[in-house]
Amino acid sequence: ILNMVSKIVKAGMICTMTTNGNKLDVEMAKSLRKAGLSKVQVSMNGDTEAINSLTRPNFKSAVNAIENARQAGLKTGINYVVTKQNIKRFPNLLKKAEEWECDSFNLLRPKEAFDDFDWLISESPGPEEFAWLQQRLKELSPKSRVKVRFDDAFSFLVSDQNPDELYENGIWGCVAARRFLNIDPFGNIYACSHVRETDVGNGDFLLAWRESKTLERFRTLDEDIEGKCAACSFRKCCRGCRAVVLAYGEDFISEDFQCPLDK
């Protein structure tokens, strides 16, 4: 991992890492910083061991990892998958993040896990719960010392703001195949790490970028998306989440039915 970080940095790129924190002791944290790592995002889904253990068994290790990284001089952040079980605990964990001197707090929308559709069904909050979260973000984010962020699939959480201004400030919703790709260890190239469809492999990045039909489907969402999303003024700042839509058996260009907006 140290060699990988070093090579990424020497290639002129910024390198960050997401980890469960289980083996991130102070010595490793210092070595990662020396290799050029900029930041560590620690996965944590609850403000207490009881809540976190509903989806992750390592609360104490995660807390220790944040402290070890901070001691090593690394910026730290929390990756928080929002579920039915923990959504109402968001304010509590945000407060903990402030106490732990975290730099950022990333809200992640649940997607299908290891083809476990039952998990997604049971754990995904609905539109009303997402509306509750949107209101809490509006209240808490401006007051917090921690930068509250969210993944592209959660772009609708800032839909109460002017879409043109959001777009000018880089809120572009799903940017799979536009601003990022996912490359697995076997050279398969995906538009999104949660949508395992590919038609160009062998690690040929430029060929995929230029010729992949799968990537093209993502790039034409603005024109092709259907249902309520098609008429939404917030569309260019969101586009919904294809991973969620596909996991529920809907068509690739179907509307995002979990969106709390009344379009």
Side-chain angles (χ1 to χ4, degrees):
I1 187 68
L2 297 176
N3 289 337
M4 292 172 67
V5 171
S6 179
K7 287 183 178 181
I8 290 169
V9 174
K10 287 178 180 178
M13 294 183 283
I14 294 172
C15 186
T16 64
M17 181 174 69
T18 298
T19 176
N20 58 26
N22 287 343
K23 297 190 176 183
L24 187 61
D25 56 24
V26 175
E27 182 180 354
M28 174 57 75
K30 289 180 178 179
S31 297
L32 286 167
R33 184 170 184 265
K34 185 177 180 181
L37 193 74
S38 297
K39 188 175 183 179
V40 172
Q41 292 289 138
V42 179
S43 298
M44 186 180 294
N45 294 343
D47 61 302
T48 67
E49 187 165 8
I51 296 296
N52 190 75
S53 65
L54 295 172
T55 50
R56 289 188 172 277
N58 63 329
F59 182 75
K60 292 180 180 178
S61 296
V63 174
N64 289 337
I66 291 172
E67 174 61 19
N68 293 339
R70 189 186 66 79
Q71 287 187 27
L74 284 169
K75 289 183 178 181
T76 62
I78 291 174
N79 275 11
Y80 182 66
V81 178
V82 179
T83 68
K84 280 182 176 292
Q85 303 288 342
N86 69 17
I87 187 169
K88 295 297 178 69
R89 307 289 297 189
F90 159 66
N92 303 64
L93 187 54
L94 180 60
K95 186 175 181 180
K96 290 280 190 182
E98 293 179 344
E99 295 174 2
W100 296 330
E101 300 181 18
C102 292
D103 177 70
S104 63
F105 190 108
N106 292 351
L107 295 162
L108 307 178
R109 188 173 169 186
K111 290 95 174 176
E112 192 171 10
F114 303 108
D115 299 322
D116 187 353
F117 183 60
D118 291 338
W119 181 89
L120 185 65
I121 290 290
S122 64
E123 292 297 331
S124 287
E128 296 80 11
E129 292 160 304
F130 284 145
W132 178 91
L133 180 60
Q134 183 181 39
Q135 185 59 35
R136 299 292 83 73
L137 283 170
K138 188 175 180 180
E139 296 169 358
L140 298 174
S141 293
K143 304 174 185 178
S144 179
R145 298 192 302 272
V146 179
K147 300 172 187 173
V148 181
R149 297 169 175 165
F150 45 84
D151 73 6
D152 297 337
F154 261 152
S155 294
F156 56 61
L157 292 177
V158 290
S159 58
D160 55 332
Q161 301 180 42
N162 183 290
D164 292 329
E165 293 180 2
L166 287 172
Y167 191 82
E168 290 176 1
N169 285 285
I171 304 298
W172 296 348
C174 176
V175 288
R178 301 172 189 239
R179 296 181 67 181
F180 66 78
L181 295 177
N182 174 256
I183 305 175
D184 73 12
F186 306 102
N188 296 310
I189 299 171
Y190 306 98
C192 170
S193 60
H194 297 283
V195 179
R196 311 306 280 179
E197 296 181 10
T198 182
D199 57 354
V200 178
N202 301 318
D204 197 331
F205 177 91
L206 289 178
L207 180 64
W209 187 259
R210 294 166 179 163
E211 300 183 16
S212 169
K213 300 300 181 185
T214 301
L215 303 190
E216 187 64 20
R217 295 177 74 196
F218 281 86
R219 292 170 180 158
T220 57
L221 267 175
D222 282 355
E223 298 80 25
D224 299 337
I225 201 165
E226 296 179 343
K228 295 179 180 180
C229 291
C232 181
S233 61
F234 193 65
R235 181 184 62 203
K236 67 179 181 180
C237 301
C238 180
R239 304 183 188 91
C241 179
R242 299 306 96 195
V244 171
V245 168
L246 290 171
Y248 278 84
E250 301 292 330
D251 189 75
F252 182 84
I253 56 176
S254 296
E255 66 181 58
D256 189 336
F257 59 91
Q258 290 184 342
C259 176
L261 295 182
D262 181 9
K263 307 182 190 65

